[in-house]
Amino acid sequence: MTLEAFGTRLRRAMDERGPLCVGIDPHASLLADWDLTDDIRGLERFTRTVVDALADRVAVLKPQSAFFERFGSRGIAVLERAVADSRYAGALVLMDAKRGDIGSTMAAYAATYLDPASPLFSDAVTVSPYLGYGSLRPALDLARESGTGVFVLALTSNPEGAEVQHAVRAGGASVAATMLEHLRAENAGAAPMGSYGAVVGATLGDTLGAAGADLAINGPLLAPGIGAQGATAADLPKVFGAAVRDVVPNVSRGVLRHGPDVAALRESAARFADEVREAVAASGPAVR
């Protein structure tokens, strides 16, 4: 069964639940902060608490696959349940897997996360384009077919990213600007928003200009860096300009550090979502 287009579903979820994506990142130090053991029991308790607290109220939950994979098949089983339970409760699930390969291998990655028959079927997945944008075609095509979404790494918040992403191609466009141009073409004509997004760090500020980045891609912009990494909701209009209404701010530690108290997790997520709403509203009327 083909779902309604991801971009349509995402826009509705952001309008109804607030423009926020919360990461599910059960790394060892966070498990310790929650007084949980760094084993499958701790992983399961952590994940269950986050899903129970937030899946019925935030727009997007973003599990980081690596933190589940490190526990082997039992960790993947926890991830499968988290995906299914989150979607059942109404949250969109963005699988943070950052997969990237060519040919049949990329097709297999796409099927893992974007095929409705897969146990890990998610609403969207993060992918890496650095084997060439064309290498992503199996994921892009399957997303269109299944009503899911793809978020392509474009301008990431880690400082090392500039080495590749700001590199200038023949003709003068940066690698990042090229990726954004490809996504703009994928989203052409989509309403209210396309299903092909970019990952653009909320902490980048003026460095976006150095990359020649036009963020108006008619698609969602996943923006890591809010909270623990130093960016605030108030920074979003300055960083993203007219594209700010398409921004999906990602907060992980900023919310998760309040666990395992369910009420505190909910309060923190609600506060971030309200702050983003206010910052977007203050930026002025939508520009399309």
Side-chain angles (χ1 to χ4, degrees):
M1 181 180 68
T2 300
L3 296 168
E4 189 177 24
F6 173 71
T8 301
R9 294 187 289 127
L10 177 60
R11 173 61 70 198
R12 183 166 56 243
M14 292 168 66
D15 289 345
E16 293 176 354
R17 294 185 168 205
L20 189 69
C21 169
V22 178
I24 306 179
D25 296 355
H27 48 76
S29 62
L30 193 49
L31 293 177
D33 289 344
W34 281 34
D35 293 324
L36 297 174
T37 51
D38 186 21
D39 56 20
I40 195 66
R41 290 185 298 277
L43 175 74
E44 191 165 20
R45 176 70 180 277
F46 177 94
T47 306
R48 169 57 38 204
T49 300
V50 175
V51 171
D52 286 349
L54 301 178
D56 66 344
R57 59 197 64 217
V58 301
V60 184
L61 285 175
K62 183 177 69 65
Q64 169 47 256
S65 181
F67 292 124
F68 296 85
E69 293 172 29
R70 71 190 184 99
F71 292 101
S73 61
R74 295 178 70 189
I76 296 299
V78 173
L79 180 59
E80 288 177 4
R81 181 177 174 185
V83 170
D85 289 352
S86 297
R87 298 189 72 240
Y88 182 79
L92 299 177
V93 173
L94 168 56
M95 183 64 70
D96 196 356
K98 298 184 179 71
R99 300 299 192 237
D101 216 307
I102 59 173
S104 59
T105 307
M106 191 64 230
Y109 282 139
T112 300
Y113 305 110
L114 303 179
D115 184 337
S118 170
L120 285 170
F121 177 60
S122 304
D123 296 285
V125 64
T126 57
V127 294
S128 173
Y130 297 112
L131 276 74
Y133 184 85
S135 69
L136 302 177
R137 184 49 55 190
L140 300 168
D141 289 347
L142 184 53
R144 195 178 302 277
E145 177 184 331
S146 62
T148 54
V150 171
F151 284 84
V152 176
L153 302 180
L155 285 159
T156 56
S157 56
N158 62 304
E160 303 88 353
E163 179 180 359
V164 173
Q165 296 156 17
H166 289 207
V168 177
R169 303 173 61 240
S174 70
V175 171
T178 301
M179 297 306 152
L180 293 166
E181 183 60 35
H182 283 305
L183 292 168
R184 189 175 299 109
E186 300 286 351
N187 290 321
M193 178 167 63
S195 299
Y196 300 95
V199 179
V200 178
T203 56
L204 295 179
D206 294 339
T207 64
L208 292 177
D214 179 359
L215 300 179
I217 62 169
N218 191 34
L221 301 167
L222 181 68
I226 301 290
Q229 293 186 48
T232 68
D235 295 325
L236 295 176
K238 177 176 61 178
V239 175
F240 292 94
V244 71
R245 281 171 173 74
D246 295 334
V247 170
V248 187
N250 175 67
V251 180
S252 294
R253 284 173 289 172
V255 170
L256 299 178
R257 67 184 180 86
H258 295 282
D261 186 304
V262 168
L265 288 167
R266 290 173 173 171
E267 181 182 353
S268 177
R271 183 174 65 255
F272 275 112
D274 286 344
E275 289 173 356
V276 173
R277 278 196 191 99
E278 292 171 5
V280 171
S283 68
V287 177
R288 286 284 181 187

